Amino acid sequence: MSFLAGIKPASQPAPLTAITPSVFHLKLGLDAPENTALHQAVLRFAERVQTESHGRIQVEIFPNQVLGNVYQMIEMTRKGQLDILLIPSAKLSISIPSMQYPDIPFLFPTREDAYQLLDGEPGQLLLQKLNSIGLLGITFWENGFKHFTGNQFYTHPDDFVGKKFRIMKSRLLESQFNALGAEAIPIDFHSTYQALKDGVVDGQENPLVSIASMGFHKEQSHLTLSDHGYLSYVFAFSQHTFPELPQDLKTLLIKTARDLTRWERQETQRRENTFLQQIQAEGVQITQLTPAQRQTLAQKTTHLIQQFEPIIGSDIISYTQTYLNQKYALTTPDKLAIGLNADLSAEAPQAGLAIKRGMELAIAEINAQGGLLGKELVLLPMDHRTLASRGQENLKHLANEKPVIAVMGGVHSAVVMAERPLINQLKIPYLIPWAAASEITKLDGSHDFLFRLSIDDDIGAKKLADFSAELRCASPAVIVENSIWGRGNLEQIKNHLAKKSIPIAVEVTLNRGQQHFDSIIHQLTQSGADSIILVANSKEATGLVKSLSQSQTLLPIISHWGIASGDFFNQTKSLFSKLNLHLIQTWIFSNQTQKAPIWQRYLQAYKTIDSPYAVNGMVQAYDLVKLLALAVTTAKSTDRQAIQQALENLPPYQGVLKYYQQAFSAKDHDALNEKDIFMVKLLPDGRLVKTETEGQ
């Protein structure tokens, strides 16, 4: 950004309607050529902001990568050498992997769905991520849906086998073609024509505007209209120069970019018919995928959603899945649904994703066996972000969906506790695979719709104290999260230690999101503690353990299972040889000797997941979905109150985690008891092994 003619900016921004002596010269770079809707839209953008700012803003446009390739333009924008950037979202995926989202094959059934999602919460979450690389994301423009070109049609997976396709650099696009049996070769957009001409690749994917404007069809005899991927463009400002503008001009620039989004999209669509006629007139053979062909190709790539969900963000993917299922799957009477209301993005997203994966495994198995009462079961996942208010709104939303027979939720006890009154008011069965606060399942006649297959802190706190005695800890420090979960554990741990005449060296609370631990280390040092009883979640536990190691005060740790809610083990693996760590568990693979068919089926299904997630939560969620299915079958009804009553009267069931003689009863909504809880030790190689003989 520069000031024209050396004029300095005014010290106070003038109203937008007034003409000021300050003229701001902004540079806008894009990779699209001049004969595109994108270029026409930025011309309109430049003209409109100049007019409405009364000449205070002048935008110089650099199309067709004249300033350098897209990666060079990204770097220029980050440094403030370029003020405005308009490039494909996929080109940002090297720095922001989540930007691969619009490229997920066959994700958007229609353009309107793409607009709803990119203009809605998923799109806003994506744009917010650009802040981390010095860009201010404003809106998504488009180049349209992508199609396949080649010297043959591509309508079946067999057509792709052994072929080479040009792609823009993207892990997801590479995985897409690999899933179809083809080889993906990253080639710069402006080098693609020559690559096609020289036979370096057999085909490529692009929207019609790119195919026609770059002449790709001149070297390819066939066009398959597939609409398989969506090429969105990110409109962004440089965080280096944008803040220097007066507020009224910043508002004008943002508003204009967003206002032109609709026009740019409509213009892209309008031009597509012309491009299609042009391509056909030049002798290219054209076919369009039938619904059956589209479904066959989509089935070959559907696993990419799960594979890339941890990379793109479970909050983004889950919102999309719920939107699409509500719009399409649940519009027919042959579908039932189960909701998920969990932390998929904030403090324990790995735990939320583990729960989701367990549900997906069970749902897939149920549907393969004919569904529930002859109806297909679908999942509606929602992210509460550890916010009780959002969790309550999610609950209302899910309960309003008539096909929803139950909701699963958890990870954070505080959120579940805040939801309890609403759950009972809505009279919807609520299944809990991960939330340990004792009060959650305390039955008082008004909270009878919560059913838990998780540790109960009444048992967990006793287990921590008992194990401290077994290790002969003489003076443990007790460090707990500053929450209803942590404080509840603290009181119970104190009581159990007192019964064993074990004095507590010091009591310490951890705040969520805490990053500095010097004061805690000082308290530990001063107290003379010989061990730590820890009740914390993964993020805070990771920071604490690293700080303890750096200060050489790494005491033996006896932990609640909360540390397994995130990336603790990956983040601390360099310390495994130093760590003397034990934690509560209800399940570990190395402890399983069962030969029950259900366990074998679960193991095989688990192995199909591209990136296995935390075992915690996954197996609990799997068993809970199966117990829910048993309740529906027993009740012969999808009525929520009938399901609740059936859950209290289930017949014996062999699950993966355990054999349930009777999972729940009218007096007890906890499926696990003290015999199901055991301690495991972390070995230097990262394995968790059982340290007790009781339990499983």
Side-chain angles (χ1 to χ4, degrees):
M1 178 177 68
S2 63
F3 304 117
L4 293 182
I7 300 175
K8 296 181 180 179
S11 58
Q12 293 294 329
L16 191 59
T17 54
I19 299 177
T20 73
S22 302
V23 179
F24 297 89
H25 182 190
L26 307 182
K27 296 179 180 179
L28 186 156
L30 69 157
D31 70 336
E34 295 180 354
N35 59 339
T36 61
L38 288 164
H39 185 255
Q40 292 302 309
V42 295
L43 289 176
R44 285 184 173 234
F45 172 82
E47 180 181 1
R48 186 175 296 183
V49 296
Q50 181 171 346
T51 299
E52 296 190 16
S53 70
H54 300 284
R56 293 166 63 199
I57 299 177
Q58 294 188 13
V59 180
E60 186 176 3
I61 298 169
F62 298 89
N64 212 24
Q65 296 189 169
V66 296
L67 295 178
N69 64 40
V70 289
Y71 304 109
Q72 291 170 324
M73 286 195 290
I74 292 171
E75 194 60 28
M76 291 173 66
T77 310
R78 294 177 66 176
K79 293 179 178 179
Q81 298 166 347
L82 193 60
D83 305 293
I84 309 172
L85 184 65
L86 182 63
I87 61 169
S89 53
K91 296 292 180 72
L92 288 160
S93 65
I94 294 177
S95 301
I96 308 293
S98 297
M99 282 294 172
Q100 297 174 99
Y101 167 75
D103 286 303
I104 296 175
F106 302 103
L107 181 65
F108 306 123
T110 69
R111 252 190 167 100
E112 288 66 32
D113 293 321
Y115 299 159
Q116 283 289 328
L117 291 163
L118 289 173
D119 294 343
E121 186 168 319
Q124 292 308 305
L125 291 170
L126 289 172
L127 293 175
Q128 289 169 14
K129 294 178 185 293
L130 294 175
N131 293 331
S132 65
I133 61 169
L135 300 179
L136 177 64
I138 301 302
T139 186
F140 288 95
W141 289 4
E142 73 164 20
N143 228 7
F145 274 108
K146 294 184 289 185
H147 311 282
F148 299 117
T149 67
N151 293 318
Q152 65 176 73
F153 290 130
Y154 292 97
T155 61
H156 189 274
D158 292 345
D159 299 331
F160 292 84
V161 176
K163 297 296 191 295
K164 296 179 180 179
F165 277 81
R166 175 268 169 187
I167 62 166
M168 66 176 80
K169 193 172 184 179
S170 163
R171 281 183 56 196
L172 191 148
L173 295 179
E174 182 179 357
S175 298
Q176 167 192 289
F177 281 104
N178 290 344
L180 293 169
E183 179 184 354
I185 301 177
I187 297 175
D188 181 75
F189 179 63
H190 286 76
S191 301
T192 302
Y193 180 87
Q194 194 64 41
L196 293 171
K197 185 175 183 179
D198 294 343
V200 175
V201 290
D202 300 298
Q204 61 88 46
E205 58 164 15
N206 256 302
L208 291 173
V209 57
S210 299
I211 295 170
S213 63
M214 299 300 290
F216 297 155
H217 63 290
K218 298 180 185 297
E219 299 298 331
Q220 305 267 266
S221 60
H222 291 66
L223 167 63
T224 304
L225 298 175
S226 53
D227 288 341
H228 66 277
Y230 180 73
L231 187 53
S232 62
Y233 267 65
V234 172
F235 192 109
F237 293 104
S238 169
Q239 291 275 28
H240 191 83
T241 59
F242 189 77
E244 298 178 10
L245 293 169
Q247 184 58 49
D248 63 327
L249 297 186
K250 288 191 284 189
T251 300
L252 172 62
L253 288 165
I254 291 172
K255 182 178 184 301
T256 305
R258 288 175 176 164
D259 287 348
L260 282 169
T261 297
R262 183 178 180 183
W263 183 90
E264 190 278 333
R265 290 169 176 173
Q266 290 176 337
E267 181 65 9
T268 296
Q269 292 182 62
R270 185 188 69 78
R271 290 170 175 241
E272 284 182 343
N273 290 329
T274 302
F275 290 134
L276 194 58
Q277 292 172 8
Q278 173 189 336
I279 292 169
Q280 191 170 29
E282 296 189 36
V284 175
Q285 298 183 52
I286 301 174
T287 190
Q288 185 164 13
L289 291 182
T290 66
Q293 290 170 337
R294 180 180 173 87
Q295 184 177 6
T296 299
L297 290 175
Q299 287 174 344
K300 293 289 290 186
T301 59
T302 188
H303 67 281
L304 297 179
I305 296 176
Q306 283 193 0
Q307 180 180 334
F308 281 84
E309 183 169 1
I311 298 169
I312 291 170
S314 189
D315 51 346
I316 294 170
I317 295 298
S318 294
Y319 185 100
T320 303
Q321 291 170 326
T322 294
Y323 165 85
L324 294 174
N325 278 333
Q326 287 179 317
K327 182 175 180 180
Y328 296 103
L330 298 184
T331 56
T332 58
D334 61 340
K335 301 290 194 302
L336 295 173
I338 178 171
L340 171 62
N341 183 26
D343 178 7
L344 299 172
S345 65
E347 296 179 14
Q350 292 91 340
L353 190 53
I355 292 170
K356 184 181 179 185
R357 287 292 176 266
M359 296 177 74
E360 289 171 336
L361 291 178
I363 289 170
E365 189 171 310
I366 289 168
N367 288 334
Q369 296 171 352
L372 282 180
L373 303 182
K375 296 185 177 184
E376 181 183 350
L377 185 62
V378 300
L379 177 62
L380 300 180
M382 302 189 76
D383 178 22
H384 63 49
R385 301 181 188 170
T386 74
L387 300 174
S389 59
R390 187 175 172 98
Q392 291 165 338
E393 288 304 311
N394 288 348
L395 266 173
K396 293 176 184 177
H397 181 88
L398 291 167
N400 283 334
E401 288 287 344
K402 189 176 180 180
V404 174
I405 57 175
V407 175
M408 190 174 295
V411 181
H412 300 293
S413 293
V415 176
V416 179
M417 287 296 296
E419 293 170 343
R420 283 181 73 198
L422 181 61
I423 292 167
N424 185 66
Q425 177 186 335
L426 296 172
K427 298 186 184 303
I428 187 166
Y430 196 85
L431 312 176
I432 304 166
W434 193 330
S438 302
E439 294 83 357
I440 287 174
T441 51
K442 288 289 188 289
L443 304 181
D444 58 8
S446 62
H447 299 109
D448 297 344
F449 279 80
L450 292 90
F451 296 85
R452 178 165 61 183
L453 203 168
S454 172
I455 291 174
D456 179 338
D457 281 337
D458 280 342
I459 299 172
K462 182 177 183 299
K463 181 66 67 174
L464 292 172
D466 288 349
F467 196 71
S468 296
E470 288 184 30
L471 290 186
R472 299 183 180 179
C473 300
S475 184
V478 181
I479 303 177
V480 302
E481 179 182 277
N482 187 15
S483 67
I484 187 173
W485 173 57
R487 292 188 295 271
N489 268 280
L490 176 60
E491 292 307 311
Q492 294 185 67
I493 290 169
K494 287 167 62 176
N495 291 336
H496 289 298
L497 288 176
K499 292 176 182 178
K500 297 179 180 297
S501 300
I502 299 176
I504 295 176
V506 63
E507 300 172 15
V508 184
T509 56
L510 274 173
N511 292 317
R512 284 186 177 178
Q514 185 166 333
Q515 298 180 3
H516 303 289
F517 304 92
D518 291 347
S519 63
I520 293 177
I521 292 172
H522 177 73
Q523 291 180 71
L524 289 174
T525 303
Q526 293 297 311
S527 71
D530 64 352
S531 57
I532 296 172
I533 297 177
L534 180 63
V535 180
N537 282 312
S538 174
K539 187 175 181 180
E540 294 75 26
T542 299
L544 175 63
V545 167
K546 287 183 176 180
S547 296
L548 290 171
S549 176
Q550 291 170 2
S551 64
Q552 298 184 340
T553 53
L554 200 54
L555 301 172
I557 298 174
I558 303 165
S559 177
H560 206 297
W561 75 343
I563 64 171
S565 63
D567 205 25
F568 174 85
F569 296 108
N570 184 52
Q571 292 292 323
T572 61
K573 60 185 176 183
S574 63
L575 305 176
F576 284 175
S577 60
K578 303 177 184 178
L579 273 176
N580 182 0
L581 172 66
H582 296 80
L583 68 149
I584 296 176
Q585 274 294 349
T586 62
W587 162 274
I588 52 174
F589 269 116
S590 62
N591 188 52
Q592 299 309 309
T593 58
Q594 301 179 49
K595 301 299 181 183
I598 188 172
W599 189 86
Q600 295 298 325
R601 289 198 302 270
Y602 175 83
L603 179 60
Q604 291 303 313
Y606 182 86
K607 288 179 178 178
T608 65
I609 299 175
D610 290 289
S611 301
Y613 305 97
V615 177
N616 275 7
M618 185 180 294
V619 69
Q620 288 85 353
Y622 178 92
D623 270 7
L624 275 170
V625 172
K626 289 302 189 74
L627 290 170
L628 172 66
L630 181 60
V632 172
T633 304
T634 301
K636 298 180 181 179
S637 172
T638 58
D639 176 78
R640 294 169 183 173
Q641 287 189 272
I643 294 171
Q644 186 265 353
Q645 293 172 9
L647 283 167
E648 292 182 338
N649 296 279
L650 290 175
Y653 177 72
Q654 175 63 64
V656 175
L657 192 147
K658 63 175 285 187
Y659 177 79
Y660 303 90
Q661 182 63 39
Q662 183 178 357
F664 311 106
S665 70
K667 295 182 179 180
D668 187 358
H669 281 200
D670 275 300
L672 301 183
N673 55 49
E674 189 169 357
K675 292 182 179 180
D676 300 314
I677 313 299
F678 54 90
M679 300 297 298
V680 297
K681 178 178 176 60
L682 176 66
L683 298 183
D685 61 5
R687 288 182 298 130
L688 295 173
V689 296
K690 193 175 179 183
T691 58
E692 298 177 304
T693 57
E694 65 174 327
Q696 287 186 319

